[in-house]
Amino acid sequence: MALDPVMFRQLPVIQQIIRDETWYEGERRGCAVPAGDPVVRERVCTIILRIGAGLRASLEGQIAAYPPPVQLPLTRHDREHAA
């Protein structure tokens, strides 16, 4: 199973959007708001839908310019001695 390297680079951006929108909504209401609040979730989804394609393209460009190191699959010998 191949893992999508772009997805892992998107996670910190999405986490920051959640933090920002949670803070903004707390400021609007004048009290603390949980990250799972329906208004926060809707705003985060709207933002991700708006910037998602551009974010992905940008991160794909970064990966193309600086590819991650190749990881070879573990051999049976490696798995047996890893424990």
Side-chain angles (χ1 to χ4, degrees):
M1 176 170 118
L3 299 176
D4 182 3
V6 174
M7 184 185 322
F8 290 105
R9 292 188 184 206
Q10 287 175 329
L11 291 176
V13 176
I14 293 168
Q15 290 168 337
Q16 185 62 50
I17 292 168
I18 293 168
R19 283 191 298 271
D20 290 347
E21 290 305 312
T22 301
W23 183 83
Y24 293 143
E25 189 60 25
E27 287 293 303
R28 286 183 198 98
R29 295 184 192 178
C31 62
V33 176
D37 181 84
V39 173
V40 172
R41 289 168 59 175
E42 183 176 341
R43 289 181 191 274
V44 169
C45 289
T46 300
I47 292 167
I48 297 302
L49 287 171
R50 187 176 68 236
I51 71 165
L55 176 61
R56 184 165 193 67
S58 172
L59 294 172
E60 285 173 343
Q62 289 177 14
I63 290 171
Y66 302 100
V70 175
Q71 293 183 338
L72 300 175
L74 293 177
T75 65
R76 181 175 150 195
H77 179 267
D78 293 333
R79 286 190 298 271
E80 290 171 354
H81 290 92

